[in-house]
Amino acid sequence: MNRIVVNPVAELALQSHHHRPEYSEVVEGTAMFTVNEEEPIITKNQTAYIPLGSKHRLENPSQVTSTLIEVKTGPYLKEDEVIRYEDRCA
């Protein structure tokens, strides 16, 4: 599990995982998940599912900080299997 904090109007890198799916629950604020071509917006106490192999990005479209709990599942949970495609913040 990871606690992820995303600043207002910020985003994380577009990435995928070949060994694990993930679940994320918003515990504070609002988050937009780009999962393949979909962009659902979720709010406090809602969850997003990131299927295995899906390209995804987490964004905070609001003016307040967003906090999420990320749960990794699967046979391999180390960060070295993350494939990053694009990081607009770099």
Side-chain angles (χ1 to χ4, degrees):
M1 287 182 17
N2 289 326
R3 179 177 176 258
I4 300 172
V5 177
V6 185
N7 291 328
V9 196
E11 61 186 32
L12 304 181
L14 181 66
Q15 58 186 278
S16 68
H17 311 278
H18 288 294
H19 299 287
R20 68 173 189 247
E22 295 177 342
Y23 293 88
S24 292
E25 180 170 342
V26 175
V27 294
E28 206 170 55
T30 301
M32 181 170 74
F33 282 89
T34 300
V35 181
N36 296 322
E37 301 300 320
E38 297 179 29
E39 295 182 331
I41 293 179
I42 63 173
T43 57
K44 187 175 180 176
N45 297 325
Q46 292 183 320
T47 347
Y49 174 66
I50 313 298
L52 178 72
S54 297
K55 286 187 179 180
H56 62 282
R57 179 192 314 271
L58 170 61
E59 300 178 52
N60 178 357
S62 73
Q63 297 297 317
V64 297
T65 301
S66 294
T67 305
L68 299 94
I69 300 299
E70 174 187 75
V71 178
K72 303 171 190 175
T73 61
Y76 190 83
L77 304 177
K78 295 183 181 177
E79 289 298 312
D80 64 352
E81 65 91 39
V82 175
I83 299 169
R84 287 184 172 72
Y85 300 97
E86 177 183 88
D87 191 348
R88 294 183 228 174
C89 298

